[in-house]
Amino acid sequence: MKNKLLILSCCALLLVTTGCGKSIPKTKNGEEIVASIDGKDFTADELYAELKTENGYNKLINMIDNYIADKEVETTEDLKKNAQQYVDFYKQYAEMYQIDLGTFLEATASETGITGVTTEEELLEFFIKDLKIKEAIRKQIENTLTDKEIEKYYNENYSERLTVRHILIKPEESDKDGKKALEQANKLIDELKKTKKDKLEDKFIELAKEYSDDGTSTNGGLYENFMSGTVVKEFWEGSSKLKDGEYTTTPVKTTYGYHIILRKSKSDKPSLEESKDDIKEAIVNDKMTNDSVAQYTAMKELREKYKLSINDSDIKDSYDDFLKDLKEAANSNSSSNK
């Protein structure tokens, strides 16, 4: 999405209004003179016009958004600790390259977007503001979730819950067609077929610990209380077709490799009402990670909540253009999700 907006520099405003402690001279018509050279005065109005046309309104909007975030989100000790973790991360990288933090931030500004920051204190303040804006956006997205959105997510992602044990055999790089992995999985199934029913789970646990390439191997391949929306389709179908105590006599192929699945139990689908809080959190997390339009829309709504009024016509025109682009992007996303 195009960023057409204009910048209003705090530093420039301070320079214009304070003159470093000196009274600012004025032209005959009352305009403040920011600087002079032989034969030319540069006025505050000229500086302001140049800043907003050259760089956009990003700084002004950041100032507004930071004000809103301060109203919406408390600066807690936990938030400060989270911000300090980001600072420590940057400090470690600066130390790794054996340069001071300010030099590192300046060198990486084009990649990180962190500009005008040279000290650890300034970086901490930057991340505190950033986290507060993100939390304000998160709260706004959650507050505007509709019952329709929540119900749609519930219907698409919630089901009965299954608990299984499984063994995953991943093909090695040399086994491009997966034949060796499939042979290995079938050999393990043959071992299970030779096992007495009352010893089946013990044998499965033993094989999972020895042969499974999945992170659950240390726990005997145990995978508990998962729903259809949380695993790949083939794994879900293979698990749901089994009865409790049964295992797949044919390896289940997924993008991860070949699975042997032993079903332990099934529980009923949780109700929509008892699932609402988890659903809200899942939807918000998804939008905060994958949906920039939802984030921009939430911030726009917060500005409206605080009755934003832009008096400069040029900046207002640019903001209106931004809102137009945002609306088009939102409509495009809505159409593609249908």
Side-chain angles (χ1 to χ4, degrees), residues 79-254:
L79 189 143
K80 290 179 182 178
K81 287 178 182 178
N82 289 339
Q84 185 62 49
Q85 288 179 347
Y86 287 102
V87 173
D88 292 341
F89 174 81
Y90 278 84
K91 285 172 63 181
Q92 288 173 4
Y93 264 91
E95 290 170 3
M96 184 174 70
Y97 287 105
Q98 297 183 332
I99 57 177
D100 66 87
L101 181 61
T103 303
F104 177 77
L105 292 172
E106 184 178 357
T108 58
S110 59
E111 289 82 21
T112 65
I114 302 174
T115 59
V117 176
T118 58
T119 67
E120 181 176 342
E121 291 74 17
E122 290 172 347
L123 188 60
L124 178 62
E125 185 63 25
F126 173 89
F127 281 119
I128 288 174
K129 289 180 179 179
D130 184 64
L131 289 173
K132 290 180 75 170
I133 287 177
K134 287 177 179 175
E135 182 59 25
I137 291 171
R138 174 181 287 275
K139 287 170 59 179
Q140 180 64 18
I141 289 175
E142 182 174 346
N143 290 339
T144 54
L145 287 179
T146 65
D147 290 339
K148 186 176 180 180
E149 282 182 281
I150 294 170
E151 186 173 356
K152 182 176 184 291
Y153 188 93
Y154 174 77
N155 291 333
E156 291 179 352
N157 296 279
Y158 274 61
S159 65
E160 63 267 28
R161 298 175 187 266
L162 298 179
T163 293
V164 303
R165 291 188 185 276
H166 79 114
I167 300 168
L168 170 63
I169 306 299
K170 289 183 178 180
E172 297 179 359
E173 288 187 14
S174 59
D175 184 23
K176 292 184 179 180
D177 57 6
K179 284 185 178 181
K180 291 181 181 179
L182 179 59
E183 287 176 7
Q184 178 66 41
N186 279 318
K187 285 181 182 179
L188 297 181
I189 290 173
D190 288 340
E191 287 197 47
L192 292 171
K193 287 179 179 179
K194 298 173 186 177
T195 305
K196 292 181 179 181
K197 190 174 182 179
D198 61 340
K199 300 291 184 181
L200 181 62
E201 187 169 1
D202 289 339
K203 184 63 174 179
F204 201 97
I205 292 171
E206 176 189 323
L207 295 177
K209 287 182 176 180
E210 184 174 355
Y211 294 103
S212 182
D213 295 316
D214 187 73
T216 61
S217 61
T218 56
N219 199 24
L222 185 64
Y223 189 21
E224 297 181 287
N225 295 319
F226 62 92
M227 294 183 293
S228 60
T230 61
V231 294
V232 292
K233 179 182 177 182
E234 298 86 355
F235 190 90
W236 174 258
E237 289 178 347
S239 302
S240 60
K241 288 176 182 177
L242 297 170
K243 295 179 181 178
D244 292 352
E246 288 184 343
Y247 63 92
T248 51
T249 55
T250 300
V252 175
K253 184 179 180 181
T254 72

